[in-house]
Amino acid sequence: MRTARSLAGKPIGLVPDFISDGERKQLLHHARMPQARWNTRLSPDDVWYARMIDPIDMPDKLLKLMAKIRRRAARHIAADYGITQALYADTLQLVRWRPGDSQAPHADCEEPDGRPNQFPWRAFASIIYLNDEFEGGRIHFPGLGLEPEISPGTLAYFPSTADYLHGVTEVTSGLRYTMSCFYTFDPAHHDGIRL
């Protein structure tokens, strides 16, 4: 079975205006609603506590929109990376980053030294940025010397190996909202939502 290592050397993808302004506003509107169901099933001391909306907590209309966007993203990334094998996804989330939130450089399928982490099946990730009313919260790739400028509606994607270590600088003010997805070649880790 193909793995993230087969994507070595592929570029980090950045596609401005990947989603329409209408799609972006729908996602952002839901994320900002007082009744949005941020995941509180995690332990309150977990770094992701109340920071993600998972498919189980999404209204059907929102889930269908996000699934449609994710299918479009998967097709784009597969074409760019020359992937002809079947793809599956294991994650579909809205994520919020509050003041003080950050993320240390990490890889999505392995430790910085190349040993598998808790998600060894992940081949690549995609992030769609939904807003810019915040300070800080910049994605950066320290090993590659990159800290790209990203505008709302941009799709960013990259392989999951330690060659693409990435982190997020501390959000210093405002709320940063994104739509995140992880993809795999392993059908055993499919989330059940069609790509």
Side-chain angles (χ1 to χ4, degrees):
M1 180 183 317
R2 194 169 180 182
T3 68
R5 281 265 150 229
S6 69
L7 301 175
K10 297 294 184 184
I12 294 168
L14 294 173
V15 184
D17 301 317
F18 183 78
I19 60 173
S20 72
D21 201 46
E23 290 170 326
R24 185 184 68 80
K25 286 178 178 175
Q26 285 181 65
L27 296 175
L28 199 51
H29 173 74
H30 182 80
R32 289 176 168 161
M33 290 173 55
Q35 64 268 37
R37 296 183 60 194
W38 296 97
N39 184 339
T40 56
R41 290 181 293 280
L42 300 168
S43 168
D45 59 350
D46 189 293
V47 68
W48 296 107
Y49 177 81
R51 291 186 53 204
M52 303 175 300
I53 301 176
D54 295 312
I56 193 170
D57 296 318
M58 293 176 189
D60 193 52
K61 183 178 176 182
L62 182 74
L63 181 57
K64 285 180 181 173
L65 172 63
M66 290 180 67
K68 180 177 90 170
I69 292 168
R70 184 172 74 174
R71 281 192 294 278
R72 206 163 70 225
R75 285 193 302 268
H76 176 90
I77 299 165
D80 188 34
Y81 283 177
I83 297 169
T84 57
Q85 296 81 2
L87 280 175
Y88 307 92
D90 77 350
T91 306
L92 179 62
Q93 299 169 322
L94 285 178
V95 182
R96 68 177 169 186
W97 298 74
R98 303 160 297 198
D101 288 339
S102 65
Q103 193 169 29
H106 65 284
D108 295 322
C109 76
E110 58 190 22
E111 299 297 337
D113 64 5
R115 289 177 298 116
N117 69 10
Q118 62 193 21
F119 307 108
W121 60 86
R122 289 182 170 167
F124 58 91
S126 72
I127 305 164
I128 296 176
Y129 294 82
L130 302 180
N131 71 318
D132 61 3
E133 304 89 14
F134 59 89
E135 297 294 328
R138 302 272 308 250
I139 190 167
H140 60 105
F141 298 83
L144 300 172
L146 295 175
E147 189 175 297
E149 280 288 335
I150 296 180
S151 57
T154 295
L155 166 69
Y157 55 93
F158 43 87
S160 295
T161 66
D163 298 328
Y164 300 85
L165 285 177
H166 57 284
V168 178
T169 64
E170 182 179 343
V171 175
T172 56
S173 68
L175 294 170
R176 173 189 190 257
Y177 293 101
T178 59
M179 174 181 153
S180 63
C181 306
F182 296 97
Y183 306 84
T184 180
F185 298 111
D186 185 350
H189 293 284
H190 185 210
D191 65 7
I193 303 168
R194 185 177 65 83
L195 274 182

